[in-house]
């Protein structure tokens, strides 16, 4: 089944992590597992949560930022997800090692408006 994140402030990887954890805990998340079964999954099937990235958008952003390169969509689809996963795991490990405490500078960084590239120029998101 597919989930869509409609809240722009939601972290896709945080949602994937939460669903993966819930997917392994059938007793603690009975309603979630019942919904999976109702959607057609086998009752005892393992839950695998995999993010689906907008690779077309990624390719366009790369083309705008680096017009001298042309990466085929197949290369992006194959190579980017493992890099994102490794980066996410390394980031989580660094936060855990730091005791989960956010550096003081992080509040200032988090207050900055999200930006995206449209037509080659940065513009506010939302």
């Amino acid at each position: 089944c597919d989930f869509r994140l409609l809240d722009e402030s939601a972290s896709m990887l945080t949602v994937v992590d939460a669903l993966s954890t819930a997917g392994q805990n059938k007793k603690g998340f009975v309603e979630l597992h019942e919904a999976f079964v109702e959607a057609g999954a086998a009752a005892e099937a393992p839950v695998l949560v995999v993010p689906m990235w907008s690779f077309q958008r990624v390719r366009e952003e790369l083309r705008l930022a680096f017009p001298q390169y042309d990466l085929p969509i197949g290369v992006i689809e194959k190579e980017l997800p493992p890099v994102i996963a490794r980066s996410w795991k390394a980031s989580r490990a660094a936060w855990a090692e730091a005791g989960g405490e956010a550096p003081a500078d992080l509040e200032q960084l988090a207050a900055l408006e999200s930006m995206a590239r449209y037509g080659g120029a940065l513009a506010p998101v939302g």
Side-chain angles (χ1 to χ4, degrees), residues 35-112:
F36 288 151
V37 171
E38 189 174 310
E44 296 304 315
V47 175
L48 176 63
V49 181
V50 179
M52 296 178 66
W53 303 99
S54 176
F55 294 115
Q56 296 293 349
R57 168 88 187 259
V58 170
R59 184 172 191 241
E60 181 61 17
E61 292 292 333
L62 287 170
R63 189 188 66 75
L64 289 170
F66 307 100
Q68 68 273 30
Y69 299 108
D70 182 26
L71 287 174
I73 194 72
V75 171
I76 295 170
E77 289 173 344
K78 179 182 176 191
E79 302 294 334
L80 190 57
V83 171
I84 293 170
R86 286 194 307 271
S87 174
W88 174 248
K89 288 176 184 174
S91 175
R92 286 180 54 205
W95 277 109
E97 186 175 315
E101 295 294 322
D105 294 344
L106 189 60
E107 286 184 31
Q108 184 179 5
L109 179 63
L112 294 176

Side-chain angles (χ1 to χ4, degrees), residues 14-25:
T14 300
V15 171
V16 167
D17 193 39
L19 285 172
S20 294
T21 300
Q24 305 309 315
N25 185 353

